Amino acid sequence: MPVLVAYATKYGATRGIAEHVARELTDAGHPAETLPAATVTDLSGYTAVIVGSAVFAGRWHRDARDFVRRHGAQLRERPVWLFSSGPLGTATHDKAGKDLVETSQPLAIAKLVEATGARGTAVFFGALDTARLDRAGRLVMRVPAARDVMVEGDFRDWPAIAAWARGVASELSATRG
Ligand SMILES: Cc1cc2nc3c(=O)[nH]c(=O)nc-3n(C[C@H](O)[C@H](O)[C@H](O)COP(=O)(O)O)c2cc1C
């Protein structure tokens, strides 16, 4: 049975990360497929599940939160990992010196881990194209503090994403025995 990489995206960056994770898992001997989280109705055909979501205002995309709510029981019965696509820019630390990967975890990450029984979580840098922002996004961009962190560009760190996926593959191999 394959591994499912279910993702929730608004602008597409998270889908690209999900596809990269799935390719790495497949290359490592764990065939994986990607699906938008909102389209998944049953997890019984999957050995393991990775759930990835874009982060907006500190929260996972609604499709990912609904996915966890809908499939909590099935998720807890199989190996699960979570990833978030959030921070933007090339800085690794914020103005207060805090690691952006840590501060960009969704506010509810502990609850998401508890609800899914996740074995691990990751935060990856994302991407932003301001020309594609919806009205709410454009409003956020008018707040000076938000403008500091909403850096335009594609900051997805493909080697970091691949390394994490290979770590997941190793754990799956160990589980399979
Ligand atoms: C309105 C708005 C709010 C955002 N809020 C956050 C946030 O709170 N934390 C964070 O790490 N990234 C935040 N981001 C950055 C997005 O998570 C990032 O651009 C992500 O890669 C978008 O994923 P998607 O293209 O899959 O929708 C925000 C982006 C927008 C447009």
Side-chain angles (χ1 to χ4, degrees), residues 8-15 54-58 85-88 104 126-128 133 136-137 140 150:
T9 179
K10 192 163 182 184
Y11 300 107
T14 312
R15 181 177 62 235
V55 177
F56 296 103
S85 106
L88 300 162
S104 303
L128 176 69
L133 283 177
V140 170
M150 303 273 280

Side-chain angles (χ1 to χ4, degrees), residues 8 13 26 39 49 56 70 72 105 112 124 133-134 145-146 152 169 171:
T26 302
T39 67
V49 179
F56 296 103
R70 241 182 8 256
Q105 282 279 16
L112 293 167
F124 300 121
L133 283 177
D134 61 10
E152 170 131 30
E171 284 197 49

Side-chain angles (χ1 to χ4, degrees), residues 86-168:
L88 300 162
T90 52
T92 56
H93 291 72
D94 66 15
K95 282 182 180 162
K98 290 188 180 149
D99 189 327
L100 278 174
V101 161
E102 279 160 35
T103 57
S104 303
Q105 282 279 16
L107 301 173
I109 190 66
K111 282 191 180 151
L112 293 167
V113 169
E114 194 188 328
T116 57
R119 295 177 177 205
T121 67
V123 171
F124 300 121
F125 276 72
L128 176 69
D129 175 359
T130 47
R132 293 183 57 214
L133 283 177
D134 61 10
R135 193 164 167 272
R138 288 198 302 276
L139 280 174
V140 170
M141 287 299 279
R142 286 161 68 173
V143 179
R147 270 204 302 271
D148 284 350
V149 289
M150 303 273 280
V151 186
E152 170 131 30
D154 187 347
F155 305 99
R156 288 173 292 178
D157 183 344
W158 303 114
I161 294 161
W164 183 75
R166 283 196 298 273
V168 169

